[in-house]
Amino acid sequence: MRFVPAGTERIFVSGRGNLSDIAELRRQAMAEVDRAADLASLEGVRQRWLGPKGVLTLELRTIGSRPPEERKAFGEAANRLKGEVAERLEARLSALRAAALDLRLAAEREDLTLPPRRVRLGRLHPLTQTIREVSRIFATMGFETVEGPEVEWDHYNFELLNIPQGHPARDKFNTLWISNPLGGDPDRPVLLRTHTSPMQARVMEARKPPIRVIVPGRVYRFEATDAYHESVFFQFEGLAVDDRITMADLKGVLYSFARQMFGGERKIRFRPDYFPFTEPSAEIAIDCFVCGGTGGECRTCGGSGWLEMGGCGMVHPNVLRGVGYDPSKTQGFAFGCGVERIAMLRSGTPDIRLFQQNDLRYLEGF
Ligand code: DAH
């Protein structure tokens, strides 16, 4: 009998061999196979037991030198053990391979848990918010919101508003004219509307009194820009037409609007003014929200204490006649205000150009 070292254990190899030796060899071989922790050490175990110089290989070689009566039983037992060890090696091999694959898959797996990019929720533009609020307030007084074309005929923008060719009021509206590349009709000039007032005539032509509408929309002026002027800006027009409408109705409606829009402490001022399409006409102003109307060095109101919002008046008889109404039976009032001016008042925005510059740092403040 001799012992050969194998790992920490000593492998018992029988020189003479008997069946109980085989049982001991099985125990050792199986234990080694089960202990192999990776493919390389498993291959070492295979070599040590089944390789050309492996324990069992050598053991089987001893068959011939054994006493004849032992050979059969020993040979059978040793061969069976060889088969069992090979099987055990095979099983261990697949187990180790599966474990190695699992490890690799775990290491290579896509990490789907990365947080996605934050979704930025948009919001309504401050001018849209203002227009909606204006429409909402006037709706409480029975006004319907309608819209009209931005590319307009001279006919509606000027003629029907009592501003004929050569009228000095045309100089107030620095107009962007549109030349028709197909020639067009020289007697029907086209322009970008300079105000929302042309919708007065359009609505009156299309409807019968009683009329109560609010017309928000973009208007265009051929003008240099500064903190208070843009060449593209928004207005809203108001028009009420019925019998027995008076200037008191106009003032009541505008006061109510100012109080709902700017709060009860705001003051509103009417001063005589001139517009060709209203008679009498008035300028509407609100006391300055920055200085509270004290003026002085206030840059927002230029020291006047007042902020102009627009104009208003009783619809001129010529305008009523122009759309086929009889001024002795029908009267109306109209007003027009700048949307940006109101948005600036409400938000304390110092420069009208901020509305169109689309700087999110500004827009997100609303
Ligand atoms: N359309 C005028 C402008 O743009 C504003 C205006 C004044 C409108 C008086 C009106 C009004 O309806 O009655 O300057």
Side-chain angles (χ1 to χ4, degrees), residues 6-207:
T8 51
E9 273 193 43
R10 297 170 72 83
I11 292 181
F12 169 64
V13 178
S14 165
R16 304 236 188 283
N18 57 40
L19 293 177
S20 65
D21 295 344
I22 295 285
E24 175 58 16
L25 287 176
R26 170 182 290 108
R27 199 189 58 73
Q28 292 185 9
M30 297 307 185
E32 261 190 58
V33 170
D34 291 349
R35 262 201 316 271
D38 52 48
L39 296 177
S41 46
L42 188 66
E43 184 51 28
V45 174
R46 179 197 303 282
Q47 287 304 324
R48 187 154 55 245
W49 289 89
L50 302 183
K53 296 205 166 99
V55 175
L56 288 179
T57 313
L58 297 177
E59 201 68 27
L60 279 164
R61 278 198 201 134
T62 66
I63 291 178
S65 60
R66 289 177 184 274
E69 66 279 10
E70 270 182 24
R71 283 183 198 162
K72 187 164 182 276
F74 183 84
E76 274 175 13
N79 265 315
R80 199 180 318 120
L81 176 56
K82 198 180 163 192
E84 285 169 5
V85 172
E87 228 172 75
R88 187 79 151 227
L89 280 165
E90 213 45 53
R92 185 73 186 146
L93 185 65
S94 0
L96 287 177
R97 279 197 179 132
L101 183 63
D102 282 351
L103 273 177
R104 222 185 80 200
L105 287 180
E108 288 176 1
R109 178 178 302 154
E110 289 291 341
D111 183 0
L112 300 179
T113 64
L114 263 184
R117 284 215 202 135
R118 201 165 66 86
V119 176
R120 289 173 75 116
L121 273 190
R123 66 194 75 192
L124 294 175
H125 190 279
L127 293 181
T128 306
Q129 292 182 35
T130 305
I131 287 171
R132 291 196 178 182
E133 179 65 359
V134 167
S135 289
R136 189 194 65 74
I137 291 171
F138 280 104
T140 67
M141 294 183 272
F143 287 76
E144 176 193 351
T145 296
V146 298
E147 288 181 298
E150 293 172 24
V151 178
E152 185 57 285
W153 304 107
D154 178 287
H155 179 68
Y156 287 104
N157 197 83
F158 291 129
E159 295 284 341
L160 284 184
L161 292 175
N162 202 28
I163 316 174
Q165 287 283 343
H167 193 289
R170 289 200 175 214
D171 296 346
K172 268 192 19 171
F173 300 101
N174 297 321
T175 307
L176 286 150
W177 297 94
I178 292 187
S179 58
N180 188 335
L182 301 176
D185 181 348
D187 294 331
R188 306 192 67 199
V190 179
L191 46 76
L192 292 178
R193 67 179 179 189
T194 58
H195 49 176
T196 45
S197 302
M199 277 299 284
Q200 289 186 27
R202 283 184 176 273
V203 170
M204 285 192 283
E205 272 185 351
R207 301 183 177 191

Side-chain angles (χ1 to χ4, degrees), residues 173 194-195 197 200 221 235 237-238 275 277-278 311-313 334-336:
F173 300 101
T194 58
H195 49 176
S197 302
Q200 289 186 27
R221 303 263 174 105
Q235 290 185 334
E237 195 79 8
F275 299 99
F277 37 92
T278 42
C312 65
F335 54 87

Side-chain angles (χ1 to χ4, degrees), residues 200 239-242 244-251 275-282 311-320 330-335:
Q200 289 186 27
L239 175 70
V241 184
D242 207 340
R244 290 182 303 194
I245 282 204
T246 71
M247 193 122 183
D249 299 313
L250 167 62
K251 290 184 83 173
F275 299 99
F277 37 92
T278 42
E279 180 60 34
S281 303
C312 65
M314 300 304 291
V315 179
H316 196 288
N318 286 351
V319 174
L320 294 171
T330 308
Q331 310 82 41
F333 65 72
F335 54 87

